[in-house]
Amino acid sequence: MQKPGMVSALATMYSHKEDINSTIDVFTQAIRWYQNHQLKSPAHLSLIREAANFKPKYGQEEEAISDLEQLWKQNPKDIHTLAQLISAYSLVDPEKGKALSKHLPSSDSMSLKVDVEALENSPGTTYIWKGGKVTRDSQPKEQRKGDLKKKKKGKLPKNYDPKVTPDPERWLPMRECSFYLGKKER
């Protein structure tokens, strides 16, 4: 039962059956086994992270906080774990959340050098919001004119003479033609 795949399968099965206590027990037993046998292994840390993500959804914020604190003690430079921990504390103890937020790096040190012009002109930006409708506009209209298909001319009979006008009644149904007499009365 200590293999991550088996833990994942059992957790998925129990959560689909809406047996939340059994799901949390599966996570707890697996984490306890890894603490005794393979402390700080990647599988152990991923199980703690998954348990910490699962527990707050079902009202187990205190247990999630203990898991997140354990993760953060393993790697104090992990900003993602710290942000999750602050978010969990904001539900239970906002003052402690504020105290932990001082450990977050400043926004100036986290800012990335992004070339806005290059992002806007990249082919990844294809959807443009226009008055309530989403339109796909990846290229200007001048470049798209070559993409239009030319309309094919219809086939003409072999003995077609453009100078002679065809009979206007040719395309009408037979009963609407002037020469059609219909059924003779008996």
Side-chain angles (χ1 to χ4, degrees):
M1 161 129 143
Q2 65 272 11
K3 298 200 180 217
M6 183 61 87
V7 173
S8 173
L10 286 172
T12 303
M13 183 182 67
Y14 284 133
S15 64
H16 281 296
K17 289 176 66 177
E18 297 180 4
D19 189 1
I20 306 307
N21 293 331
S22 296
T23 307
I24 292 174
D25 288 342
V26 167
F27 279 124
T28 306
Q29 289 173 5
I31 290 170
R32 195 174 306 130
W33 187 89
Y34 274 99
Q35 284 175 342
N36 293 335
H37 296 91
Q38 297 178 4
L39 190 63
K40 296 185 181 180
S41 70
H44 178 237
L45 298 177
S46 69
L47 281 173
I48 294 174
R49 183 170 303 280
E50 288 303 315
N53 288 337
F54 181 81
K55 289 175 183 177
K57 294 177 187 174
Y58 298 100
Q60 310 250 337
E61 289 88 6
E62 289 84 11
E63 291 180 24
I65 287 172
S66 66
D67 290 341
L68 288 168
E69 283 178 341
Q70 188 178 358
L71 273 177
W72 191 49
K73 287 176 186 173
Q74 301 277 336
N75 187 5
K77 293 183 180 181
D78 187 9
I79 297 170
H80 180 70
T81 304
L82 180 60
Q84 280 184 311
L85 185 59
I86 292 169
S87 176
Y89 266 123
S90 69
L91 299 172
V92 177
D93 186 10
E95 295 300 321
K96 187 124 184 196
K98 285 182 183 179
L100 280 175
S101 67
K102 294 176 183 172
H103 294 287
L104 285 172
S106 66
S107 60
D108 296 335
S109 65
M110 289 180 58
S111 67
L112 303 172
K113 305 290 188 272
V114 177
D115 186 11
V116 177
E117 292 297 322
L119 276 177
E120 287 178 351
N121 295 330
S122 70
T125 57
T126 57
Y127 291 100
I128 297 173
W129 181 262
K130 289 186 178 178
K133 293 182 180 178
V134 177
T135 59
R136 185 163 179 93
D137 192 0
S138 60
Q139 297 176 349
K141 290 183 180 179
E142 296 79 33
Q143 293 177 358
R144 282 196 272 161
K145 285 185 180 176
D147 293 342
L148 298 176
K149 292 183 178 180
K150 292 183 180 179
K151 193 172 182 180
K152 285 185 176 181
K153 291 185 179 179
K155 291 185 178 180
L156 298 173
K158 291 181 184 178
N159 58 358
Y160 174 72
D161 186 12
K163 295 176 188 172
V164 177
T165 58
D167 182 22
E169 292 184 344
R170 178 178 179 174
W171 307 113
L172 291 174
M174 189 71 137
R175 65 180 167 267
E176 295 177 12
C177 292
S178 61
F179 58 86
Y180 180 69
L181 299 174
K183 291 184 179 179
K184 293 185 180 181
E185 294 181 19
R186 293 184 190 180

PDB file of all heavy atoms in Angstrom, residues 15-33:
ATOM      1  N   SER A  15     -12.696   8.707  -2.836  1.00  0.00           N
ATOM      2  CA  SER A  15     -13.271  10.043  -3.030  1.00  0.00           C
ATOM      3  C   SER A  15     -14.454   9.994  -3.992  1.00  0.00           C
ATOM      4  O   SER A  15     -15.399  10.761  -3.847  1.00  0.00           O
ATOM      5  CB  SER A  15     -12.212  11.032  -3.510  1.00  0.00           C
ATOM      6  OG  SER A  15     -11.732  10.662  -4.771  1.00  0.00           O
ATOM      7  N   HIS A  16     -14.431   9.077  -4.964  1.00  0.00           N
ATOM      8  CA  HIS A  16     -15.586   8.922  -5.857  1.00  0.00           C
ATOM      9  C   HIS A  16     -16.773   8.312  -5.115  1.00  0.00           C
ATOM     10  O   HIS A  16     -17.923   8.595  -5.448  1.00  0.00           O
ATOM     11  CB  HIS A  16     -15.233   8.072  -7.079  1.00  0.00           C
ATOM     12  CG  HIS A  16     -14.493   8.822  -8.125  1.00  0.00           C
ATOM     13  ND1 HIS A  16     -15.036   9.884  -8.803  1.00  0.00           N
ATOM     14  CD2 HIS A  16     -13.231   8.687  -8.607  1.00  0.00           C
ATOM     15  CE1 HIS A  16     -14.156  10.365  -9.658  1.00  0.00           C
ATOM     16  NE2 HIS A  16     -13.048   9.652  -9.549  1.00  0.00           N
ATOM     17  N   LYS A  17     -16.478   7.479  -4.131  1.00  0.00           N
ATOM     18  CA  LYS A  17     -17.546   6.911  -3.307  1.00  0.00           C
ATOM     19  C   LYS A  17     -17.971   7.894  -2.220  1.00  0.00           C
ATOM     20  O   LYS A  17     -18.866   7.587  -1.440  1.00  0.00           O
ATOM     21  CB  LYS A  17     -17.072   5.608  -2.664  1.00  0.00           C
ATOM     22  CG  LYS A  17     -16.919   4.473  -3.659  1.00  0.00           C
ATOM     23  CD  LYS A  17     -16.368   3.229  -3.012  1.00  0.00           C
ATOM     24  CE  LYS A  17     -17.325   2.668  -2.011  1.00  0.00           C
ATOM     25  NZ  LYS A  17     -16.870   1.409  -1.404  1.00  0.00           N
ATOM     26  N   GLU A  18     -17.310   9.057  -2.177  1.00  0.00           N
ATOM     27  CA  GLU A  18     -17.556  10.111  -1.191  1.00  0.00           C
ATOM     28  C   GLU A  18     -17.299   9.631   0.233  1.00  0.00           C
ATOM     29  O   GLU A  18     -17.965  10.046   1.179  1.00  0.00           O
ATOM     30  CB  GLU A  18     -18.961  10.680  -1.350  1.00  0.00           C
ATOM     31  CG  GLU A  18     -19.166  11.346  -2.695  1.00  0.00           C
ATOM     32  CD  GLU A  18     -20.558  11.920  -2.863  1.00  0.00           C
ATOM     33  OE1 GLU A  18     -21.367  11.878  -1.917  1.00  0.00           O
ATOM     34  OE2 GLU A  18     -20.831  12.418  -3.967  1.00  0.00           O
ATOM     35  N   ASP A  19     -16.317   8.748   0.377  1.00  0.00           N
ATOM     36  CA  ASP A  19     -15.886   8.283   1.699  1.00  0.00           C
ATOM     37  C   ASP A  19     -14.607   9.051   2.042  1.00  0.00           C
ATOM     38  O   ASP A  19     -13.491   8.550   1.881  1.00  0.00           O
ATOM     39  CB  ASP A  19     -15.649   6.768   1.660  1.00  0.00           C
ATOM     40  CG  ASP A  19     -15.417   6.192   3.041  1.00  0.00           C
ATOM     41  OD1 ASP A  19     -15.452   6.957   4.034  1.00  0.00           O
ATOM     42  OD2 ASP A  19     -15.194   4.966   3.131  1.00  0.00           O
ATOM     43  N   ILE A  20     -14.790  10.262   2.512  1.00  0.00           N
ATOM     44  CA  ILE A  20     -13.674  11.184   2.730  1.00  0.00           C
ATOM     45  C   ILE A  20     -12.771  10.709   3.864  1.00  0.00           C
ATOM     46  O   ILE A  20     -11.544  10.810   3.778  1.00  0.00           O
ATOM     47  CB  ILE A  20     -14.219  12.606   3.022  1.00  0.00           C
ATOM     48  CG1 ILE A  20     -15.172  13.049   1.905  1.00  0.00           C
ATOM     49  CG2 ILE A  20     -13.084  13.592   3.189  1.00  0.00           C
ATOM     50  CD1 ILE A  20     -14.604  12.942   0.516  1.00  0.00           C
ATOM     51  N   ASN A  21     -13.348  10.159   4.921  1.00  0.00           N
ATOM     52  CA  ASN A  21     -12.534   9.693   6.052  1.00  0.00           C
ATOM     53  C   ASN A  21     -11.589   8.574   5.626  1.00  0.00           C
ATOM     54  O   ASN A  21     -10.428   8.540   6.050  1.00  0.00           O
ATOM     55  CB  ASN A  21     -13.428   9.233   7.201  1.00  0.00           C
ATOM     56  CG  ASN A  21     -14.183  10.391   7.815  1.00  0.00           C
ATOM     57  OD1 ASN A  21     -13.702  11.530   7.796  1.00  0.00           O
ATOM     58  ND2 ASN A  21     -15.369  10.117   8.338  1.00  0.00           N
ATOM     59  N   SER A  22     -12.072   7.663   4.792  1.00  0.00           N
ATOM     60  CA  SER A  22     -11.201   6.576   4.316  1.00  0.00           C
ATOM     61  C   SER A  22     -10.092   7.127   3.417  1.00  0.00           C
ATOM     62  O   SER A  22      -8.960   6.645   3.457  1.00  0.00           O
ATOM     63  CB  SER A  22     -12.013   5.541   3.547  1.00  0.00           C
ATOM     64  OG  SER A  22     -12.941   4.926   4.402  1.00  0.00           O
ATOM     65  N   THR A  23     -10.434   8.132   2.618  1.00  0.00           N
ATOM     66  CA  THR A  23      -9.422   8.741   1.749  1.00  0.00           C
ATOM     67  C   THR A  23      -8.320   9.386   2.585  1.00  0.00           C
ATOM     68  O   THR A  23      -7.128   9.195   2.308  1.00  0.00           O
ATOM     69  CB  THR A  23     -10.078   9.813   0.848  1.00  0.00           C
ATOM     70  OG1 THR A  23     -11.185   9.235   0.170  1.00  0.00           O
ATOM     71  CG2 THR A  23      -9.092  10.364  -0.150  1.00  0.00           C
ATOM     72  N   ILE A  24      -8.708  10.104   3.606  1.00  0.00           N
ATOM     73  CA  ILE A  24      -7.716  10.755   4.474  1.00  0.00           C
ATOM     74  C   ILE A  24      -6.914   9.699   5.236  1.00  0.00           C
ATOM     75  O   ILE A  24      -5.697   9.865   5.443  1.00  0.00           O
ATOM     76  CB  ILE A  24      -8.417  11.755   5.413  1.00  0.00           C
ATOM     77  CG1 ILE A  24      -8.944  12.920   4.571  1.00  0.00           C
ATOM     78  CG2 ILE A  24      -7.460  12.261   6.487  1.00  0.00           C
ATOM     79  CD1 ILE A  24      -9.782  13.910   5.311  1.00  0.00           C
ATOM     80  N   ASP A  25      -7.542   8.606   5.629  1.00  0.00           N
ATOM     81  CA  ASP A  25      -6.810   7.514   6.292  1.00  0.00           C
ATOM     82  C   ASP A  25      -5.762   6.913   5.369  1.00  0.00           C
ATOM     83  O   ASP A  25      -4.647   6.578   5.813  1.00  0.00           O
ATOM     84  CB  ASP A  25      -7.778   6.423   6.757  1.00  0.00           C
ATOM     85  CG  ASP A  25      -8.612   6.843   7.950  1.00  0.00           C
ATOM     86  OD1 ASP A  25      -8.209   7.821   8.628  1.00  0.00           O
ATOM     87  OD2 ASP A  25      -9.664   6.204   8.187  1.00  0.00           O
ATOM     88  N   VAL A  26      -6.101   6.761   4.080  1.00  0.00           N
ATOM     89  CA  VAL A  26      -5.136   6.224   3.115  1.00  0.00           C
ATOM     90  C   VAL A  26      -3.925   7.136   3.037  1.00  0.00           C
ATOM     91  O   VAL A  26      -2.771   6.687   3.080  1.00  0.00           O
ATOM     92  CB  VAL A  26      -5.805   6.057   1.725  1.00  0.00           C
ATOM     93  CG1 VAL A  26      -4.768   5.817   0.645  1.00  0.00           C
ATOM     94  CG2 VAL A  26      -6.794   4.915   1.756  1.00  0.00           C
ATOM     95  N   PHE A  27      -4.184   8.450   2.912  1.00  0.00           N
ATOM     96  CA  PHE A  27      -3.071   9.404   2.869  1.00  0.00           C
ATOM     97  C   PHE A  27      -2.246   9.350   4.158  1.00  0.00           C
ATOM     98  O   PHE A  27      -1.009   9.339   4.127  1.00  0.00           O
ATOM     99  CB  PHE A  27      -3.586  10.834   2.663  1.00  0.00           C
ATOM    100  CG  PHE A  27      -3.900  11.175   1.231  1.00  0.00           C
ATOM    101  CD1 PHE A  27      -5.152  11.637   0.873  1.00  0.00           C
ATOM    102  CD2 PHE A  27      -2.940  11.057   0.238  1.00  0.00           C
ATOM    103  CE1 PHE A  27      -5.449  11.962  -0.438  1.00  0.00           C
ATOM    104  CE2 PHE A  27      -3.223  11.379  -1.070  1.00  0.00           C
ATOM    105  CZ  PHE A  27      -4.486  11.832  -1.412  1.00  0.00           C
ATOM    106  N   THR A  28      -2.910   9.311   5.293  1.00  0.00           N
ATOM    107  CA  THR A  28      -2.213   9.317   6.584  1.00  0.00           C
ATOM    108  C   THR A  28      -1.336   8.077   6.756  1.00  0.00           C
ATOM    109  O   THR A  28      -0.179   8.180   7.190  1.00  0.00           O
ATOM    110  CB  THR A  28      -3.242   9.397   7.727  1.00  0.00           C
ATOM    111  OG1 THR A  28      -4.085  10.530   7.508  1.00  0.00           O
ATOM    112  CG2 THR A  28      -2.554   9.545   9.066  1.00  0.00           C
ATOM    113  N   GLN A  29      -1.866   6.911   6.404  1.00  0.00           N
ATOM    114  CA  GLN A  29      -1.084   5.675   6.538  1.00  0.00           C
ATOM    115  C   GLN A  29       0.131   5.690   5.600  1.00  0.00           C
ATOM    116  O   GLN A  29       1.223   5.273   5.995  1.00  0.00           O
ATOM    117  CB  GLN A  29      -1.959   4.466   6.234  1.00  0.00           C
ATOM    118  CG  GLN A  29      -2.994   4.179   7.288  1.00  0.00           C
ATOM    119  CD  GLN A  29      -3.954   3.083   6.871  1.00  0.00           C
ATOM    120  OE1 GLN A  29      -3.791   2.476   5.818  1.00  0.00           O
ATOM    121  NE2 GLN A  29      -4.972   2.842   7.690  1.00  0.00           N
ATOM    122  N   ALA A  30      -0.068   6.171   4.379  1.00  0.00           N
ATOM    123  CA  ALA A  30       1.048   6.208   3.432  1.00  0.00           C
ATOM    124  C   ALA A  30       2.118   7.195   3.893  1.00  0.00           C
ATOM    125  O   ALA A  30       3.325   6.904   3.820  1.00  0.00           O
ATOM    126  CB  ALA A  30       0.541   6.588   2.046  1.00  0.00           C
ATOM    127  N   ILE A  31       1.707   8.350   4.387  1.00  0.00           N
ATOM    128  CA  ILE A  31       2.679   9.349   4.872  1.00  0.00           C
ATOM    129  C   ILE A  31       3.429   8.804   6.080  1.00  0.00           C
ATOM    130  O   ILE A  31       4.652   8.963   6.187  1.00  0.00           O
ATOM    131  CB  ILE A  31       1.950  10.676   5.203  1.00  0.00           C
ATOM    132  CG1 ILE A  31       1.478  11.343   3.907  1.00  0.00           C
ATOM    133  CG2 ILE A  31       2.862  11.615   5.981  1.00  0.00           C
ATOM    134  CD1 ILE A  31       0.550  12.523   4.118  1.00  0.00           C
ATOM    135  N   ARG A  32       2.724   8.122   6.972  1.00  0.00           N
ATOM    136  CA  ARG A  32       3.370   7.547   8.162  1.00  0.00           C
ATOM    137  C   ARG A  32       4.399   6.481   7.751  1.00  0.00           C
ATOM    138  O   ARG A  32       5.490   6.392   8.318  1.00  0.00           O
ATOM    139  CB  ARG A  32       2.306   6.937   9.071  1.00  0.00           C
ATOM    140  CG  ARG A  32       2.833   6.662  10.465  1.00  0.00           C
ATOM    141  CD  ARG A  32       1.754   6.199  11.424  1.00  0.00           C
ATOM    142  NE  ARG A  32       0.635   7.122  11.481  1.00  0.00           N
ATOM    143  CZ  ARG A  32      -0.642   6.751  11.356  1.00  0.00           C
ATOM    144  NH1 ARG A  32      -0.966   5.488  11.183  1.00  0.00           N
ATOM    145  NH2 ARG A  32      -1.607   7.642  11.428  1.00  0.00           N
ATOM    146  N   TRP A  33       4.050   5.642   6.751  1.00  0.00           N
ATOM    147  CA  TRP A  33       4.984   4.616   6.292  1.00  0.00           C
ATOM    148  C   TRP A  33       6.246   5.263   5.710  1.00  0.00           C
ATOM    149  O   TRP A  33       7.365   4.819   5.990  1.00  0.00           O
ATOM    150  CB  TRP A  33       4.324   3.735   5.227  1.00  0.00           C
ATOM    151  CG  TRP A  33       5.182   2.575   4.839  1.00  0.00           C
ATOM    152  CD1 TRP A  33       5.203   1.357   5.416  1.00  0.00           C
ATOM    153  CD2 TRP A  33       6.176   2.544   3.803  1.00  0.00           C
ATOM    154  NE1 TRP A  33       6.140   0.549   4.809  1.00  0.00           N
ATOM    155  CE2 TRP A  33       6.763   1.268   3.810  1.00  0.00           C
ATOM    156  CE3 TRP A  33       6.636   3.466   2.884  1.00  0.00           C
ATOM    157  CZ2 TRP A  33       7.766   0.897   2.928  1.00  0.00           C
ATOM    158  CZ3 TRP A  33       7.632   3.094   2.003  1.00  0.00           C
ATOM    159  CH2 TRP A  33       8.186   1.818   2.029  1.00  0.00           C
TER     160      TRP A  33
END
